[in-house]
Amino acid sequence: MKKRLFATIMAAAIAVTALSGCGGSGGDDGKLTIKLGYLPQQETQPEQYEIYMGYFEKYESEHPDIDLVQDLTSLEADQIMANAAAGQLPNLYRVPFTDASLMIKAGYAKDITDIMKKRGYDTALNDDLLNLVKDDEGKLYGIPYNGYMMGMWYNVNLFEQAGLMNDDGTLKYPKTFDELITTAQTITEKTGAAGFGFPTMDAECGWVFMNIAWNYGVKFMEQNDDGSYTATFDSPEMINAFQYIHDLKWKYKTLPDNNLIDRSELQKLFATDRCAMSIIGEDWINGPVTSYNMDKNKIATSAMPAGPAGRYAETGGDVWLLSKETTDEQAEAIFDWLELLGYSPSLSDIAKENITKDIQAKAAENEIIVTPSFSVWKSPERKAEVDALYEPHINVDQKLQQGLMADDVQLHAEEPAQTQQLYRMLSSVIQEILTNENVDIPSLVSQTQKTFQADFLDKN
């Protein structure tokens, strides 16, 4: 089966055919062909890849009239859009929530309202997440795949060296953004490492900064009666949030010397005891371990600190979409596939077995295993079932893992319009702050709002 799969993948990489999901759905052997995007890759996730090859075999043994094919072309946002414009998307592909509405409005996603209702997904999934995959008429176009929330990440070695440990072995976590400054100062003074760091490049910089801005009370945009948006972040709250970054850099000198840090570089700094704290998403935590062999028990987590306006943490995630060329017959086959994997309102015994295999594969690849803090499903009983599957495989000291959720944390969805462009513009502002001590922050904020409105919101 694997030899046949690899041959199919290579053929698909050499030439895009009608089997891409953009025309006929039958293969040369008369079977129904389903192209699946965004699956584990053999080179980077070998253990998980092998697990998925087992899923392929299981599925095809139960559906002998169907061929599953892994698509390797739709992994990055730019490539997904290019493939969509060319009608060459796989039948099942994945995008961030912020891009789902763009794909739906552009007509690149199939209406799956009927099958979602028939299989109970429309009532079982989180209502707020479902709203992100609806059009103006309330039709459904996507299946929320996962969710994340933002929180804090700590290097235990540096906290120990700085004397910031409690008697019970837990860290003296900063509970507010003001405490974060004093904690960072202590670490920098006693260890020479950066007390705090964050990605400073591309959209990720603005994505992380959002969590500071909301905690300072920034309101980024308002929706008008006609559905358009008006930017509203030229405000004292935004100036104060950017001033916070300025002070970390120039007044307190607690940031890394390098002003050009991406996610990989941040993880490297963290893993090599050169950065003590950062705001992170849940999926970042494994980077220092899997890429730099950091000790799992030298990483601690907690919820977001509180700012002057409260305690907010960004929530987001990914969504499965079906290409518009996918037939109803293919859609039924895709939902059978998702249910086999456990992405369904209720968990079958096979789904539980497959989730367990997934957890074991991640553990074999040296990933940190903790119970997920976020579920896209409404049912607390379903989450309890999943948590019970994770419990035997937890491989870190749980007293260091406070988790990213706390009772007073308010989850904040990503901004609704031109989100990725907004992140990039905020990143440009932060680059100016990090490289120019005498920057005029109020003028920079004002000009950024005008440009964002004219170049993006007014053209949306």
Side-chain angles (χ1 to χ4, degrees):
M1 177 268 171
K2 292 178 185 176
K3 289 181 180 179
R4 176 179 58 76
L5 176 65
F6 287 130
T8 308
I9 291 171
M10 290 304 296
I14 294 171
V16 177
T17 71
L19 298 183
S20 303
C22 58
S25 58
D28 293 338
D29 56 4
K31 293 184 178 183
L32 185 71
T33 301
I34 309 294
K35 288 196 72 175
L36 303 172
Y38 224 105
L39 299 179
Q41 296 184 66
Q42 186 179 30
E43 295 79 8
T44 56
Q45 298 167 295
E47 296 284 345
Q48 294 178 59
Y49 176 83
E50 288 298 321
I51 293 294
Y52 270 78
M53 292 307 95
Y55 298 161
F56 270 52
E57 291 178 357
K58 175 69 174 175
Y59 183 91
E60 291 183 343
S61 70
E62 295 178 351
H63 301 79
D65 57 339
I66 295 175
D67 272 336
L68 298 181
V69 178
Q70 181 178 14
D71 175 79
L72 297 177
T73 65
S74 297
L75 299 176
E76 303 297 335
D78 291 344
Q79 187 62 54
I80 288 173
M81 293 303 292
N83 287 357
Q88 295 171 358
L89 284 170
N91 299 109
L92 182 68
Y93 63 101
R94 203 166 93 200
V95 298
F97 285 135
T98 53
D99 290 344
S101 62
L102 298 176
M103 303 299 288
I104 293 168
K105 288 178 181 178
Y108 296 145
K110 179 182 176 63
D111 177 357
I112 54 173
T113 306
D114 290 343
I115 192 170
M116 290 277 279
K117 289 183 176 180
K118 182 175 74 172
R119 299 199 180 213
Y121 284 69
D122 63 317
T123 55
L125 286 160
N126 179 289
D127 292 329
D128 291 333
L129 299 184
L130 281 177
N131 287 336
L132 298 174
V133 294
K134 289 181 179 179
D135 65 9
D136 294 339
E137 298 177 359
K139 295 179 180 177
L140 291 164
Y141 290 83
I143 310 121
Y145 161 71
N146 63 4
Y148 70 83
M149 59 182 298
M150 304 290 279
M152 290 290 294
W153 204 24
Y154 308 98
N155 178 305
V156 176
N157 283 337
L158 292 175
F159 270 73
E160 289 174 341
Q161 293 172 32
L164 293 171
M165 302 294 293
N166 294 311
D167 292 340
D168 63 359
T170 59
L171 278 64
K172 295 182 178 179
Y173 304 97
K175 297 180 179 61
T176 67
F177 277 99
D178 285 342
E179 287 184 11
L180 188 151
I181 291 175
T182 58
T183 301
Q185 281 183 289
T186 298
I187 291 169
T188 298
E189 289 169 1
K190 293 190 176 182
T191 71
F196 183 75
F198 59 94
T200 59
M201 299 171 59
D202 307 318
E204 278 193 329
C205 174
W207 176 64
V208 169
F209 173 74
M210 279 287 182
N211 294 273
I212 297 175
W214 289 325
N215 280 290
Y216 268 79
V218 177
K219 307 297 182 185
F220 280 91
M221 61 187 74
E222 293 178 352
Q223 187 170 25
N224 304 311
D225 292 339
D226 63 359
S228 64
Y229 287 87
T230 299
T232 58
F233 59 79
D234 183 4
S235 64
E237 292 82 5
M238 182 63 124
I239 293 168
N240 290 338
F242 277 130
Q243 187 65 46
Y244 184 83
I245 299 296
H246 182 277
D247 290 348
L248 286 172
K249 171 69 176 180
W250 299 107
K251 182 176 180 180
Y252 303 114
K253 303 186 187 304
T254 58
L255 297 182
D257 293 333
N258 183 2
N259 293 324
L260 297 173
I261 298 173
D262 60 11
R263 182 192 300 205
S264 178
E265 179 64 17
L266 178 65
Q267 291 174 340
K268 184 177 181 180
L269 293 174
F270 188 82
T272 54
D273 295 345
R274 288 181 286 167
C275 181
M277 297 184 288
S278 184
I279 294 170
I280 63 154
E282 286 175 292
D283 61 334
W284 290 31
I285 194 170
N286 282 298
V289 177
T290 57
S291 298
Y292 302 102
N293 203 33
M294 186 177 184
D295 184 342
K296 297 183 187 71
N297 283 313
K298 295 301 181 181
I299 299 175
T301 60
S302 80
M304 193 73 65
R311 198 177 188 190
Y312 294 90
E314 183 170 315
T315 182
D318 293 330
V319 57
W320 289 116
L321 300 176
L322 278 62
S323 66
K324 66 177 180 180
E325 295 84 6
T326 299
T327 67
D328 290 344
E329 185 182 12
Q330 287 174 311
E332 292 285 353
I334 286 169
F335 273 80
D336 288 343
W337 164 253
L338 294 175
E339 290 179 5
L340 174 72
L341 299 184
Y343 299 118
S344 57
S346 60
L347 295 176
S348 66
D349 289 340
I350 292 176
K352 291 178 184 179
E353 179 182 331
N354 289 339
I355 290 172
T356 300
K357 288 179 180 178
D358 242 5
I359 297 167
Q360 291 170 336
K362 290 175 181 178
E365 290 172 0
N366 201 32
E367 291 193 15
I368 291 173
I369 307 299
V370 293
T371 54
S373 59
F374 190 96
S375 174
V376 300
W377 305 95
K378 290 179 185 177
S379 168
E381 291 79 16
R382 189 188 185 286
K383 185 178 187 315
E385 284 185 275
V386 173
D387 288 352
L389 299 177
Y390 273 83
E391 286 289 346
H393 305 283
I394 291 173
N395 57 8
V396 290
D397 184 349
Q398 293 192 75
K399 73 172 178 291
L400 295 172
Q401 302 294 328
Q402 288 198 351
L404 308 188
M405 192 64 196
D407 290 341
D408 59 341
V409 170
Q410 300 178 67
L411 297 180
H412 198 303
E414 295 178 87
E415 296 297 329
Q418 295 292 324
T419 314
Q420 299 300 322
Q421 296 298 340
L422 176 58
Y423 290 157
R424 291 185 177 92
M425 295 196 74
L426 296 176
S427 299
S428 296
V429 173
I430 289 174
Q431 271 299 312
E432 182 66 21
I433 290 171
L434 295 178
T435 55
N436 180 4
E437 184 175 3
N438 299 314
V439 62
D440 184 343
I441 293 177
S443 296
L444 199 55
V445 170
S446 179
Q447 185 56 53
T448 300
Q449 176 172 296
K450 290 176 183 176
T451 302
F452 179 63
Q453 184 70 48
D455 290 356
F456 299 105
L457 290 184
D458 288 346
K459 296 179 180 180
N460 189 13

